[in-house]
Amino acid sequence: MTQAYRNLPSVERLLQTAEVQALTASLPREVVTDLVRGQIDEARAAIGNGADAPTAEALAAAVVESAETFTRLRPQGVINATGVIIHTNLGRAPLSAAALAAVRRVAEGYSDLEYDLPAGERGSRRVHAETLLTQLTGAEAALVVNNNAAAVLLALATVASGWEVIVSRGEAVEIGGGFRVPDVLAQSGATLVEVGTTNRTYAADFERAITEDTAAILSVHASNFKVVGFTSTPSIAELAHVAYPRYLPLLHDLGSGCLLDTAAYGMAHEPMPQESIAAGAALALFSGDKLLGGPQCGIAVGSRKIIERMAAHPLARAFRVDKLSLAALTATLMHYIKGEAADTVPVWAMISTTMEDLQERAINWSHTLGHRGEVVSGQSTVGGGSLPGETLPTCLLALDAASVPGGTPELARRLRTGATPVVARVQDDRVLLDPRTVSVDDDPALLQTVAAALKG
Ligand SMILES: *Cc1c(COP(=O)(O)O)cnc(C)c1O
């Protein structure tokens, strides 16, 4: 083993090789030296585990490969073949062509982000999305911030810091990714008052909990779990009847900003911000990149008085939305205004894809791959904290991993690390590809990665 260590080429020797020298044309010398050291360290660790010393040529090739990984643009684009439409780990909602064009226009030059063109003076970034949001939801006013977690925190800090907020025990939950209702309340400076039981809470429970110190009622949509059986939750309208006569704002965290009715697509009805406002919520709070199908952002719509106070709160500056997201959001909202969202907003186009289309695509994939898989029926899901337990029937290509040494896990790994990474669903020891979440434009790249992964 000691001999193997001695056989390792030195950093200097590797730096002299033609391949590594070539890297210094496009990368600083210190970066290349670090990459070389990294590969020598790895080789040393491998020797510790019983391997032989690699040749200088092999190490140089490894350095070149590590330079390719190092310089790759990140986050990388991937093909989502999981059938989970809003996949938080894969970046949630893809944007429409119009939203992408809007981002580009604003990113490559200057814009009237905070400039009033007719007046020739300073303007507000709030104006761009506000009229679209009020038009779509029926609310008096709107404010866009960095994400929904920020919208909820800002709303609570604005109306309830130093006061009590009443929440149903069944809704004092963790939504995922570090969003825990009790923690968010604590951060806002408000005190959580839990009422009811985990499975059943009534409007009367809220009524009884109201004291002189109550500042608001908070309702949180159970977006990523489902309590089934003996359950009861007051509706937004019932809570509004409790809150309104006592001048208490009712805040509704909807999670997904669903502006179209999911029931029209054969799924359960996901609450919509326009319904919350109509039912008497003072604020409806939701994400931009879940069922709304836009960029990451958080949206608050509702009472002008509260929205203005939120906008003036010091946290509003810390949470403010950036110009690229704002441009993508207004372009996305315009699809809803024009009544074309179901076809043009990618998440809705995926939801509304017909079974015939899905079947045709899965069969085409199978043909192109030389029948290395079986077309089977299965289920897609909405995901991303929307409609837990709800599924959409789909057609899948189940790949045959028999020819791949290592079988299903190895095939799935090869897909993930392919020229264009493909994230598949692994279920019952099968690699499944769902055409619902794969853009038709990505078919050639998908098939290239899959064909390469299936090779011996
Ligand atoms: C997703 C979600 C959040 C967090 O929204 P982000 O935009 O990810 O910050 C908050 N509340 C509910 C109910 C959610 O579903």
Side-chain angles (χ1 to χ4, degrees):
M1 198 198 283
T2 3
Q3 188 56 43
Y5 286 120
R6 260 185 242 124
N7 288 345
L8 269 177
S10 66
V11 172
E12 283 64 38
R13 163 101 196 280
L14 276 172
L15 283 170
Q16 304 296 315
T17 60
E19 297 92 324
V20 177
Q21 274 296 314
L23 291 177
T24 55
S26 56
L27 285 173
R29 200 166 183 86
E30 308 81 76
V31 172
V32 177
T33 308
D34 278 354
L35 293 171
V36 166
R37 286 215 176 89
Q39 288 310 310
I40 291 179
D41 287 349
E42 271 189 30
R44 207 168 263 140
I47 292 169
N49 289 324
D52 287 335
T55 61
E57 294 71 44
L59 262 178
V63 171
V64 170
E65 204 181 309
S66 73
E68 272 161 20
T69 308
F70 178 76
T71 52
R72 187 183 290 152
L73 290 179
R74 277 171 278 196
Q76 285 189 73
V78 306
I79 294 175
N80 172 14
T82 64
V84 180
I85 296 171
I86 304 163
H87 199 305
T88 294
N89 301 148
L90 302 184
R92 291 196 182 158
L95 296 178
S96 72
L100 287 174
V103 169
R104 192 186 165 97
R105 207 169 43 244
V106 165
E108 71 191 352
Y110 299 98
S111 62
D112 66 345
L113 179 66
E114 290 185 354
Y115 191 73
D116 182 336
L117 286 169
E121 58 191 34
R122 181 164 196 243
S124 158
R125 75 173 65 202
R126 277 185 59 195
V127 300
H128 306 292
E130 186 163 38
T131 43
L132 302 176
L133 285 165
T134 53
Q135 176 75 38
L136 288 165
T137 61
E140 290 172 4
L143 179 68
V144 183
V145 289
N146 180 58
N147 58 15
N148 188 33
V152 174
L153 179 52
L154 177 59
L156 289 168
T158 301
V159 304
S161 186
W163 300 86
E164 291 176 357
V165 174
I166 310 175
V167 182
S168 162
R169 196 173 298 277
E171 294 180 359
V173 295
E174 176 171 321
I175 299 295
F179 186 90
R180 293 180 134 187
V181 172
D183 296 347
V184 176
L185 263 158
Q187 277 302 316
S188 76
T191 307
L192 169 66
V193 176
E194 282 186 43
V195 295
T197 61
T198 308
N199 59 331
R200 289 175 83 90
T201 304
Y202 305 95
D205 294 325
F206 285 87
E207 205 148 5
R208 272 195 299 276
I210 294 171
T211 69
E212 282 180 355
D213 294 327
T214 307
I217 291 178
L218 172 67
S219 175
V220 182
H221 179 48
S223 56
N224 60 353
F225 67 100
K226 212 167 166 176
V227 184
V228 293
F230 189 58
T231 63
S232 175
T233 319
S235 67
I236 292 300
E238 286 172 309
L239 288 179
H241 279 298
V242 174
Y244 200 75
R246 293 165 182 85
Y247 302 101
L248 292 175
L250 168 60
L251 316 182
H252 188 197
D253 173 11
L254 290 119
S256 222
C258 187
L259 294 172
L260 300 180
D261 187 1
T262 49
Y265 299 88
M267 294 181 288
H269 176 71
E270 175 79 7
M272 301 159 81
Q274 55 269 49
E275 294 170 344
S276 301
I277 297 302
L283 284 183
L285 306 147
F286 50 97
S287 293
D289 55 355
K290 290 182 178 173
L291 277 170
L292 191 96
Q296 178 193 305
C297 63
I299 298 165
V301 298
S303 141
R304 172 157 299 284
K305 229 165 103 187
I306 300 178
I307 295 277
E308 292 305 331
R309 283 174 58 206
M310 283 169 71
H313 193 285
L315 278 179
R317 177 62 172 76
F319 293 161
R320 84 176 179 190
V321 66
D322 79 291
K323 63 180 181 179
L324 306 187
S325 303
L326 197 53
L329 176 67
T330 54
T332 305
L333 293 173
M334 200 57 83
H335 293 310
Y336 290 93
I337 296 270
K338 291 180 177 169
E340 63 187 24
D343 299 320
T344 49
V345 174
V347 299
W348 285 98
M350 290 178 202
I351 288 172
S352 54
T353 309
T354 64
M355 197 58 179
E356 292 73 50
D357 276 356
L358 294 163
Q359 191 167 21
E360 194 186 312
R361 301 227 1 244
I363 290 171
N364 275 342
W365 287 356
S366 172
H367 280 309
T368 313
L369 292 167
H371 303 280
R372 297 291 302 278
E374 187 191 352
V375 176
V376 298
S377 59
Q379 308 291 326
S380 314
T381 56
V382 174
S386 319
L387 297 162
E390 291 291 319
T391 56
L392 291 160
T394 192
C395 248
L396 305 160
L397 181 63
L399 293 176
D400 179 8
S403 63
V404 179
T408 301
E410 172 59 13
L411 177 57
R413 192 197 63 82
R414 287 185 186 180
L415 293 176
R416 291 194 306 271
T417 55
T420 306
V422 172
V423 184
R425 195 185 334 160
V426 176
Q427 203 174 309
D428 302 329
D429 200 36
R430 286 212 285 192
V431 175
L432 304 173
L433 304 174
D434 190 336
R436 189 187 294 275
T437 49
V438 179
S439 152
V440 176
D441 298 342
D442 283 339
D443 274 2
L446 170 104
L447 292 167
Q448 191 192 2
T449 293
V450 176
L454 284 170
K455 280 210 187 95

